[in-house]
C-alpha cells in the first residue's frame, strides 16, 4: 500500500490553505494525509464562526472515518479551545464517536507537546482578534501554563491568514517575545508559521511550537514514528 506506515486524516475548515501543505511537506515517507473539509460560509475568524465550525465538524468526521485513516486531526486551534479547559478533549471524544477512529484537536496536541517538553511559561503569538485571544489565554492558564505575553495580529478576515508572509510572522514573533518565557507558541493552523520554526529557535534560543507542527507531532507519535524533517524544530527532532 502507498501508506505503508500510517494514514493521517485532517478535518479542516474549507477556508484553510496551509495545514495540508505543511503536513505533506514535512511528513515522513510512507505516511499519507487525507483531508475532509468543513463548510464555513463566513470569511471571518471570531467566536461565532468558530462555534459554527465545531458543530459542522461532525459530518466531516463521519466522512474521514470512511477514508480508513488511522487517526484524524481536527485542525483548527481556535475552534478547539473556545469553551475553555477540557473542551478540547470533550470535542475530540465527540468527533471520535462520529468518525469511529481516534481524533485529536490541535489544542490538545499543543498541550501534549508542551507537557512532553516540560515547558510552563509561554509567549503566545496569534493572528486573532482580542475576543479569541482572551479565550486562548484562559485555556492555557486553565491547563496549568503561565502566559507571560500574548500578542495578536488582529486579523478577523480568514482569507488574509494564508497570505501572511513567513518573514512577517518571524518579525512579529521576535518583536513580541518575552525573554522570561520558556517557549514561543504560534497559534493558528492557517498561517505559514511552520516555515520559520528553525530560524526563530536559533534567534530566540528557546523552543518554538506551532499549531501545525504540534498536530503533526502528535499524529506521528501515535504511530510510534520519529522520522521527520529536521526543519520541524526541536519538538519533532527530539520528542
Amino acid at each position: 500500500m502507498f501508506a505503508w506506515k500510517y494514514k493521517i486524516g485532517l478535518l479542516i475548515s474549507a477556508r484553510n490553505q496551509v495545514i495540508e501543505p505543511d503536513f505533506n511537506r514535512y511528513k515522513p515517507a510512507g505516511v499519507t494525509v487525507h483531508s475532509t473539509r468543513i463548510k464555513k460560509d463566513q470569511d471571518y475568524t471570531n467566536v461565532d464562526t468558530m462555534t459554527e465550525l465545531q458543530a459542522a465538524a461532525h459530518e466531516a468526521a463521519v466522512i474521514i472515518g470512511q477514508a480508513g485513516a488511522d487517526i484524524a486531526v481536527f485542525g483548527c486551534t481556535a475552534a478547539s479551545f473556545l469553551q475553555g479547559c477540557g473542551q478540547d478533549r470533550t470535542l475530540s471524544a465527540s468527533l471520535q464517536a462520529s468518525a469511529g477512529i481516534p481524533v485529536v484537536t490541535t489544542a490538545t496536541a499543543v498541550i501534549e507537546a508542551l507537557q512532553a517538553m516540560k515547558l510552563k511559561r509561554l509567549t503566545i503569538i496569534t493572528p486573532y482578534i482580542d475576543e479569541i485571544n482572551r479565550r486562548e489565554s484562559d485555556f492555557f492558564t486553565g491547563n496549568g501554563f503561565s502566559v507571560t505575553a500574548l500578542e495578536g495580529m488582529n486579523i478577523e478576515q480568514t482569507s488574509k491568514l494564508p497570505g501572511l508572509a513567513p518573514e512577517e510572522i518571524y518579525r512579529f514573533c521576535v518583536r513580541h517575545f518575552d525573554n522570561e518565557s520558556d517557549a514561543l507558541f504560534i497559534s493558528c493552523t492557517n498561517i505559514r508559521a511552520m516555515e520559520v520554526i528553525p530560524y526563530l529557535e536559533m534567534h530566540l534560543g528557546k523552543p518554538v511550537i506551532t499549531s501545525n507542527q504540534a498536530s503533526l507531532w502528535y499524529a506521528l507519535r501515535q504511530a510510534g514514528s520519529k522520522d521527520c524533517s529536521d526543519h520541524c524544530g526541536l519538538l519533532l527532532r527530539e520528542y
Side-chain angles (χ1 to χ4, degrees):
M1 294 177 63
F2 181 58
W4 47 270
K5 283 185 180 177
Y6 202 55
K7 289 180 282 188
I8 300 173
L10 282 177
L11 302 170
I12 55 175
S13 163
R15 297 179 184 272
N16 191 305
Q17 300 175 27
V18 177
I19 192 170
E20 284 171 300
D22 275 356
F23 270 46
N24 281 305
R25 179 177 181 181
Y26 298 114
K27 68 176 178 62
V31 173
T32 55
V33 179
H34 308 267
S35 302
T36 297
R37 293 187 170 272
I38 306 164
K39 184 180 179 183
K40 185 172 183 285
D41 291 325
Q42 297 184 60
D43 186 24
Y44 297 102
T45 300
N46 54 42
V47 170
D48 288 342
T49 60
M50 293 297 95
T51 302
E52 290 169 4
L53 195 71
Q54 291 174 356
H58 290 83
E59 182 178 353
V62 173
I63 296 170
I64 205 68
Q66 294 174 359
D70 295 291
I71 189 171
V73 175
F74 176 63
C76 182
T77 321
S80 53
F81 64 63
L82 282 183
Q83 284 79 37
C85 182
Q87 183 260 332
D88 54 318
R89 297 180 191 273
T90 300
L91 180 59
S92 291
S94 178
L95 292 172
Q96 181 168 315
S98 296
I101 59 172
V103 177
V104 66
T105 67
T106 290
T108 301
V110 171
I111 294 296
E112 293 284 339
L114 293 168
Q115 290 175 341
M117 300 179 79
K118 296 180 170 55
L119 302 169
K120 284 291 186 182
R121 295 169 58 81
L122 308 176
T123 291
I124 300 177
I125 297 298
T126 89
Y128 311 136
I129 60 176
D130 286 346
E131 68 171 5
I132 293 182
N133 289 332
R134 286 192 292 271
R135 295 191 184 214
E136 182 150 19
S137 181
D138 290 345
F139 173 79
F140 280 94
T141 301
N143 276 282
F145 297 93
S146 174
V147 179
T148 64
L150 192 155
E151 287 290 335
M153 297 179 180
N154 202 35
I155 300 171
E156 188 173 15
Q157 191 171 342
T158 308
S159 57
K160 290 184 177 180
L161 298 175
L164 283 171
E167 56 267 31
E168 189 175 355
I169 297 168
Y170 174 90
R171 292 191 196 104
F172 192 88
C173 290
V174 169
R175 187 160 64 248
H176 294 289
F177 183 73
D178 182 347
N179 288 321
E180 298 301 313
S181 300
D182 298 330
L184 169 66
F185 169 51
I186 310 174
S187 186
C188 188
T189 62
N190 201 19
I191 61 172
R192 295 171 60 189
M194 205 164 171
E195 296 174 47
V196 298
I197 291 172
Y199 309 107
L200 283 169
E201 288 190 336
M202 187 184 312
H203 183 99
L204 300 174
K206 301 286 180 73
V208 175
I209 309 298
T210 77
S211 291
N212 291 349
Q213 172 214 36
S215 297
L216 179 60
W217 169 84
Y218 186 93
L220 292 175
R221 292 309 178 264
Q222 297 309 296
S225 172
K226 289 198 172 184
D227 177 20
C228 208
S229 167
D230 287 342
H231 189 90
C232 295
L234 185 64
L235 173 64
L236 275 154
R237 192 168 62 246
E238 297 189 13
Y239 291 86

